[in-house]
């Protein structure tokens, strides 16, 4: 099976007890008091009995149009790697792909790319991209066989002699989006035939390899189809998926970062079938296990480069680009299922802080791994001390073969985000689930379509204005998410203030709305300092939904490629080894937010385009260095000892920094000594001899001895 470099390690992780942090960033907490309750009904294909209802319903693609900086990100994507990738990737060759010509080979690349590209075409309203999507979809639909199977014939037997269903799951999501957007009447019967083929297979097609770990995508599509056909075999198929798929029930069953990002939500999804609250709790538990052990740094992700590894939780570890977008999609789905606003908070944290820097500022190149602390992005492999894979993972490249999955898969990130900004409520209302400038047109009340225009510079500003266009007075609820970081929101309707709870919460305004009504939301943004007790007491700086990183000068060094598909390394042009100087009683007192005078334009996620910066007091830590592979050394205990002079440094939004220190040590003259990342001789205080290796052996389990200090290499040790 063509797993390429993304091979799963054997064995499961040992699980550990979770310890939830408190407040805004609690990993295992729920917003019990601020949830939106699940209920029957709604205009947009609500769950049909016996499936249990969800709190919100997804609107069809195309109902929400991005404005402002978000529209700029979509345009960068359409003009950049995702929109033009057919020109470069041999996996996307229409004439040779097995998804078009079943006698040829094919795996996940076309499904990944088409899932993002089709929705990108829809949400941008581009004049030509939908036709390109339709070309692929028409060809794929034409490959279906009499038993329901479609696509590359090799996939019928590629998994232990049986079918490999994994690459079909993202492709089915693309077909779903196209059906909802276009009303294509071929897709529902097409999927019905395929799911009947799937249902006829034995356990080996459900419990093996990638598919066993990623059935959450399959459950979502099975329920989607059931709500449109009522075919009861689909419920039996859901039971079969859950029975034979990996058990993600409060369990890190697999260490691969993308499997975790997709798999952890499966129990909560199956709760729509089982009705068991424990299934939903299990999803929270699995999320907590991943984040408490490997997510102890800012950005919303966790250390998974390629797999989570005990002892590798430093912020220099990375999160795969596939993991970022899959984690976002999981959080979006869980927002709809559970009505818990914290999932939307977590999605915004990833979208604003981690996703932008996974691409170069032009949107024409991607890298495999994005780290919270990263001071050099070269195209050289790293040893297992940092990243697990043997290939280079950090330079910005088109990456057709070197990165393979990520440049094909990243494209769903921003389009899916757009599609989840607004959700429908079961009782005929609308919910503002996440925030960015946009316009939504959707059915409310008795099925009448209305339009809300959302004007805002969020997350760079704290005010959101909603204006309604309606053909007549209509009574319906408007549900608004109060972010977890906002303690004192202000909501006004028609200039009159209405009650608003502290976040995290969904708050509901139920009234008769008329054309021209305006709602103003203000989410006052405070600067806060997070302490990561589980990661050596490191600190990070937040303001509202944005986390801030040290501004490091960036030299973009072109190493190859073309103008359309460039290859870059990024190197630091200034110092980066700073610890923050913070007042113990008032840690934010020395932090000052500044406007750059720029509006949040098309690309605020760059050093030159950011609307905001912050100043902080800091000291250099001379012993904190990069190693000979240009990898930043791991954090040590805070506060770190530094007698260097106090300097004023500039912080920028994390998403704007391709090179960044985001998880800082604190620094103080009386702090703990920082051990330099270098080689040491270890002297015995009584014998005056140094530690060495018997016979200078390099064999495993060689004896350590004390020996006269004669300068040989076996006397050099490194402190880890």
């Amino acid at each position: 099976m063509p797993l390429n470099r993304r091979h799963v390690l054997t064995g499961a992780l040992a699980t550990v007890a979770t310890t939830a942090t408190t407040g805004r960033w609690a990993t295992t907490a729920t917003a019990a008091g601020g949830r939106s309750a699940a209920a029957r009904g709604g205009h947009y294909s609500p769950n049909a009995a016996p499936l249990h209802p969800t709190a919100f319903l997804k609107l069809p693609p195309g109902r929400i149009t991005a404005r402002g900086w978000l529209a700029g990100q979509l345009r960068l994507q359409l003009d950049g790697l995702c929109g033009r990738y057919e020109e470069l990737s041999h996996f996307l060759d229409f004439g040779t792909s097995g998804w078009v010509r079943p006698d040829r080979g094919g795996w996940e690349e076309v499904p990944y790319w088409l899932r993002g590209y089709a929705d990108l075409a829809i949400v941008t309203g581009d004049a030509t991209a939908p036709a390109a999507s339709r070309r692929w979809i028409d060809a794929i639909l034409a490959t279906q066989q009499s038993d329901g199977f479609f696509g590359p014939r090799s996939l019928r037997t590629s998994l232990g002699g049986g079918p490999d269903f994994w690459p079909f799951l993202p492709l089915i999501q693309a077909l779903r989006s196209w059906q909802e957007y276009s009303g294509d009447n071929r897709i529902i019967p097409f999927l019905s035939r395929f799911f009947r083929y799937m249902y006829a297979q034995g356990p080996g097609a459900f419990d093996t390899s990638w598919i066993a770990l990623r059935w959450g995508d399959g459950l979502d599509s099975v329920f989607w189809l059931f709500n449109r056909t009522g075919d009861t075999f689909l419920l039996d198929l859901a039971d079969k998926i859950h029975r034979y798929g990996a058990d993600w029930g409060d369990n890190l069953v697999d260490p691969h970062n993308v499997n975790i990002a997709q798999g952890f939500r499966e129990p909560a999804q199956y709760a729509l079938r089982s009705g068991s609250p424990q299934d939903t709790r299990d999803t929270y538990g699995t999320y907590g296990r991943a984040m408490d052990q490997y997510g102890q740094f800012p950005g919303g992700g966790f250390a998974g480069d390629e797999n989570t590894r005990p002892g590798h939780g430093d912020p220099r570890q990375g999160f795969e680009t596939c993991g970022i977008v899959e984690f976002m999609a999981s959080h979006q789905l869980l927002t709809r299922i559970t009505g818990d606003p914290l999932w939307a908070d977590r999605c915004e944290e990833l979208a604003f802080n981690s996703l932008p820097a996974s691409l170069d500022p032009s949107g024409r190149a991607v890298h495999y791994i994005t780290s919270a602390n990263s001071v050099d992005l070269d195209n050289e492999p790293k040893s297992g001390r940092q990243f697990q894979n043997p290939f280079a993972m950090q330079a910005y490249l088109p990456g057709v073969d070197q990165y393979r999955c990520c440049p094909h898969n990243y494209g769903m990130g921003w389009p899916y985000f757009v599609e989840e900004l607004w959700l429908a409520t079961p009782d005929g209302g609308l919910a503002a689930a996440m925030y960015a400038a946009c316009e939504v047109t959707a059915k409310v009340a008795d099925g009448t379509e209305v339009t809300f225009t959302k004007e805002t510079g969020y997350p760079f500003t704290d005010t959101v204005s909603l204006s309604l266009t309606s053909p007549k007075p209509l009574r319906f609820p408007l549900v608004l998410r109060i972010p977890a970081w906002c303690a004192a929101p202000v909501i006004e309707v028609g200039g009159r203030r209405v009650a608003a709870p502290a976040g995290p919460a969904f708050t509901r305004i139920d009234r008769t709305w008329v054309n021209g009504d305006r709602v103003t939301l203000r989410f006052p943004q405070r600067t806060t300092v997070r302490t990561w007790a589980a990661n050596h007491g490191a600190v990070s700086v937040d303001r509202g939904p944005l986390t801030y990183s040290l501004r490091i000068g960036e030299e973009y060094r072109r190493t190859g490629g073309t103008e359309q598909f460039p290859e870059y390394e990024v190197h630091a042009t200034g110092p980066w080894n700073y610890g923050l100087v913070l007042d113990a009683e008032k840690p934010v007192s020395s932090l000052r937010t500044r406007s750059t005078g720029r509006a949040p334009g098309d690309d605020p996620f760059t050093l030159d385009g950011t609307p905001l910066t912050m100043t902080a007091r800091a000291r250099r830590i001379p012993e904190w260095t990069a190693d000979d592979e240009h990898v930043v050394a791991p954090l040590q205990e805070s506060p770190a000892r530094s007698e260097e002079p106090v300097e004023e440094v500039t912080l920028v939004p994390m998403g704007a920094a391709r090179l960044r220190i985001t998880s800082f040590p604190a620094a103080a003259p009386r702090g703990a000594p920082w051990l330099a990342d270098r080689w040491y001789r270890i002297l015995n205080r009584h014998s005056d001899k140094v530690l060495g290796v018997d016979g200078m052996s390099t064999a495993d389990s060689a004896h350590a001895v004390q020996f006269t200090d004669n300068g040989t290499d076996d006397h050099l040790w490194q402190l880890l």
Side-chain angles (χ1 to χ4, degrees), residues 102-393:
D103 57 313
R104 302 296 184 93
W107 197 46
E108 67 183 8
E109 292 78 20
V110 165
Y112 266 162
W113 171 77
L114 189 60
R115 175 172 63 174
Y117 182 77
D119 283 71
L120 178 64
I122 293 167
V123 300
T124 56
D126 185 78
T128 60
S133 300
R134 175 73 182 251
R135 176 174 177 248
W136 277 95
I137 289 168
D138 286 347
I140 290 166
L141 294 179
T143 69
Q144 189 163 50
Q145 318 263 317
S146 60
D147 62 356
F149 187 86
F150 69 97
R153 282 197 289 270
S154 60
L155 293 178
R156 275 185 180 270
T157 56
S158 61
L159 195 59
D164 178 10
F165 286 131
W166 153 241
F168 293 89
L169 300 188
L171 184 54
I172 289 169
Q173 291 174 310
L175 296 177
R176 285 170 44 184
S177 288
W178 185 257
Q179 192 281 329
E180 291 188 33
Y181 165 70
S182 68
D184 192 320
N185 59 15
R186 300 171 295 169
I187 289 174
I188 288 176
F190 176 92
L191 293 180
S192 293
R193 290 188 292 270
F194 179 69
F195 282 140
R196 286 191 182 277
Y197 170 83
M198 182 183 286
Y199 180 60
Q201 305 307 307
F206 294 84
D207 65 4
T208 308
S209 192
W210 296 107
I211 189 62
L213 300 157
R214 299 179 175 185
W215 270 122
D217 286 354
L219 278 182
D220 189 48
S221 292
V222 168
F223 293 157
W224 181 91
L225 189 59
F226 175 76
N227 291 329
R228 286 156 177 80
T229 67
D231 288 339
T232 56
F233 89 90
L234 292 165
L235 301 179
D236 296 332
L237 175 57
D239 294 339
K240 196 170 186 178
I241 285 170
H242 184 69
R243 182 186 316 122
Y244 292 119
D247 179 10
W248 287 101
D250 198 4
N251 178 27
L252 282 180
V253 67
D254 183 83
H256 180 53
N257 76 95
V258 184
N259 289 339
I260 294 171
Q262 289 178 261
F264 84 98
R265 59 178 156 85
E266 190 273 347
Q269 292 178 257
Y270 188 69
L272 298 174
R273 168 69 169 146
S274 71
S276 169
Q278 185 59 47
D279 284 339
T280 303
R281 286 193 292 269
D282 282 347
T283 279
Y284 283 85
T286 303
Y287 177 85
R289 288 179 185 274
M291 298 303 289
D292 290 344
Q293 193 169 359
Y294 301 108
Q296 294 301 303
F297 47 77
F302 56 90
D305 45 60
E306 177 97 359
N307 297 279
T308 56
R309 293 175 289 160
H312 290 77
D314 189 85
R316 75 174 188 164
Q317 309 300 142
F319 197 30
E320 192 177 332
T321 300
C322 280
I324 294 172
V325 296
E326 296 287 2
F327 221 24
M328 287 174 58
S330 291
H331 297 345
Q332 292 158 8
L333 181 59
L334 288 169
T335 301
R336 285 186 266 126
I337 290 174
T338 68
D340 188 340
L342 280 173
W343 293 117
D345 276 292
R346 291 160 182 163
C347 183
E348 285 191 350
E349 184 181 13
L350 286 157
F352 301 150
N353 298 295
S354 290
L355 178 60
S358 66
L359 280 93
D360 80 312
S362 72
R364 295 177 294 162
V366 67
H367 61 190
Y368 194 79
I369 290 293
T370 303
S371 303
N373 283 3
S374 187
V375 299
D376 194 90
L377 301 177
D378 62 15
N379 196 26
E380 298 295 331
K382 308 303 176 187
S383 71
R385 292 178 52 214
Q386 183 181 21
F387 297 150
Q388 183 181 42
N389 273 332
F391 65 99
M393 305 169 77

Side-chain angles (χ1 to χ4, degrees), residues 62-86:
R63 297 301 180 99
I64 302 169
T65 303
R67 304 290 188 224
W69 67 260
L70 184 53
Q73 294 299 297
L74 295 173
R75 177 52 58 181
L76 280 174
Q77 185 171 326
L78 193 62
D79 294 340
L81 195 64
C82 180
R84 303 281 296 276
Y85 212 34
E86 275 188 279

